[in-house]
Amino acid sequence: MRAFRVAYDGREFAGFQRQPRASTVEGTLLEALAEHGHLQRGDGPTHATPSRYAAAGRTDAGVSAVAQTVSFEAPEWLTPRAFNGQLPGSIRVWAAADVPERFHATHDAIRRTYRYFLYAPRDRTPSSSTERGHDRERTGLTVDDDRVYDALARLSGTHDVRNLTSDDEGTERRIRATATRKGAFLVIEVSAGGFPRAFVRRLVRLVRMVGTGTAEPSFVDRVLDPEPLPGDQGVGPAPPEPLVLWDVKYEDVSFAVDDEAATSALDAFGERYRTARRSAAVTDAILGRIEDRVCE
């Protein structure tokens, strides 16, 4: 048995879990194994899986990962670098571990951690004529960091979070939630043994509501009350694209980084980063040109 660490840019996939007539991370991994001759090809969602196959989590459409974990009975030759030979650049396997036969990537995870990159630039007063009311670093409501930290402190601990998920049972969780300011972003980190459906994204939406002043801190306490919220007070999920499955911890499992595979991942995601920066520069130039004409 082997377990593999998988990083992926989820923005171009319809989620992790395979599904008919849609491009998914899991479907792409299984197709790669079929190309390697390690499993029989199936038809659509019935595509065969390796013996004892399991995955740590089922991320939603648009959600990315750096430490998704899949485990199955793998041949010795299937190293991370070999795995990558049949994968697109948006998915890279970068580490692996030998695990006991009884290992299960889903059930044996003792802690999962997500990070959400919340765009929340600090408010600032324009200092020159070039810093106008159209300033794109000031779009949206200002987020107060202290209010965010207070909301996360209230959310940390053991709670029934049924008002932050569509799940009907298994909603009690012990949660650790923190945030770190990194430039224009608040990086919200949430850890627990497991997560109900869309919980982290709803938590982020709730925290942003408090941070912008559209909800009072006491609303967090009401949300954590097991009594169902009225429909008009429900908290919907934040957008999926800024969310990343950051880590999955297992007891007594040590992953060895495959240097060649990790270099391949750095190259692939580095190119995606440069492409995004170029696109952002073009968008910024277009915005600036229109602002100049509006303010002439």
Side-chain angles (χ1 to χ4, degrees):
M1 282 281 289
R2 300 204 86 194
F4 296 89
R5 292 292 208 194
V6 186
Y8 51 85
D9 183 341
R11 293 173 296 175
E12 63 186 57
F13 294 101
F16 178 82
Q17 188 177 19
R18 57 185 171 168
Q19 50 186 288
R21 295 176 296 280
S23 177
T24 66
V25 177
E26 185 175 58
T28 305
L29 291 172
L30 295 177
E31 178 63 24
L33 293 177
E35 288 291 332
H36 277 301
H38 183 54
L39 53 82
Q40 293 275 333
R41 291 183 183 276
D43 182 14
T46 62
H47 201 304
T49 55
S51 177
R52 303 182 65 83
Y53 170 85
R58 298 174 176 178
T59 53
D60 293 337
V63 176
S64 299
V66 68
Q68 173 69 279
T69 305
V70 297
S71 61
F72 52 90
E73 290 186 359
E76 291 187 8
W77 58 262
L78 188 64
T79 61
R81 72 189 72 177
F83 212 147
N84 286 337
Q86 296 295 341
L87 289 172
S90 53
I91 304 176
R92 297 283 91 180
V93 180
W94 57 276
D98 292 323
V99 293
E101 286 297 314
R102 66 182 182 278
F103 181 84
H104 194 284
T106 310
H107 304 319
D108 289 347
I110 59 176
R111 197 155 194 83
R112 294 169 172 84
T113 299
Y114 281 87
R115 286 187 178 180
Y116 194 99
F117 292 79
L118 178 65
Y119 181 65
R122 295 182 187 276
D123 190 26
R124 58 190 176 90
T125 302
S127 58
S128 70
S129 60
T130 60
E131 295 182 353
R132 306 181 182 98
H134 300 285
D135 186 350
R136 37 212 180 269
E137 289 297 308
R138 299 181 65 213
T139 56
L141 298 173
T142 301
V143 175
D144 184 301
D145 289 17
D146 289 336
R147 288 175 67 96
V148 167
Y149 300 148
D150 178 73
L152 291 172
R154 292 168 185 257
L155 286 158
S156 295
T158 301
H159 305 288
D160 186 334
V161 297
R162 68 181 63 194
N163 284 320
L164 290 173
T165 178
S166 58
D167 289 353
D168 296 323
E169 56 185 24
T171 56
E172 185 171 299
R173 292 290 190 275
R174 181 170 180 79
I175 302 155
R176 181 178 182 272
T178 60
T180 304
R181 166 65 67 177
K182 291 191 175 181
F185 291 86
L186 276 170
V187 182
I188 297 175
E189 183 173 289
V190 186
S191 297
F195 293 98
R197 191 174 310 172
F199 167 71
V200 177
R201 290 166 56 200
R202 291 175 188 267
L203 177 149
V204 170
R205 175 62 61 82
L206 173 62
V207 166
R208 187 180 185 280
M209 290 168 61
V210 174
T212 58
T214 58
E216 292 302 316
S218 59
F219 182 58
V220 176
D221 302 326
R222 173 61 186 91
V223 170
L224 293 175
D225 189 315
E227 182 70 22
L229 283 170
D232 61 346
Q233 295 183 27
V235 180
E241 291 79 12
L243 183 60
V244 181
L245 176 56
W246 195 255
D247 194 22
V248 183
K249 290 191 179 300
Y250 298 93
E251 191 171 2
D252 299 326
V253 175
S254 178
F255 286 88
V257 175
D258 182 318
D259 290 339
E260 183 177 315
T263 298
S264 171
L266 290 173
D267 291 342
F269 287 104
E271 180 55 36
R272 298 177 80 82
Y273 174 78
R274 289 186 288 274
T275 298
R277 289 292 298 269
R278 289 191 290 267
S279 297
V282 170
T283 303
D284 184 69
I286 293 171
L287 284 168
R289 176 63 175 140
I290 295 172
E291 287 173 1
D292 289 342
R293 293 302 300 271
V294 167
C295 298
E296 283 179 354

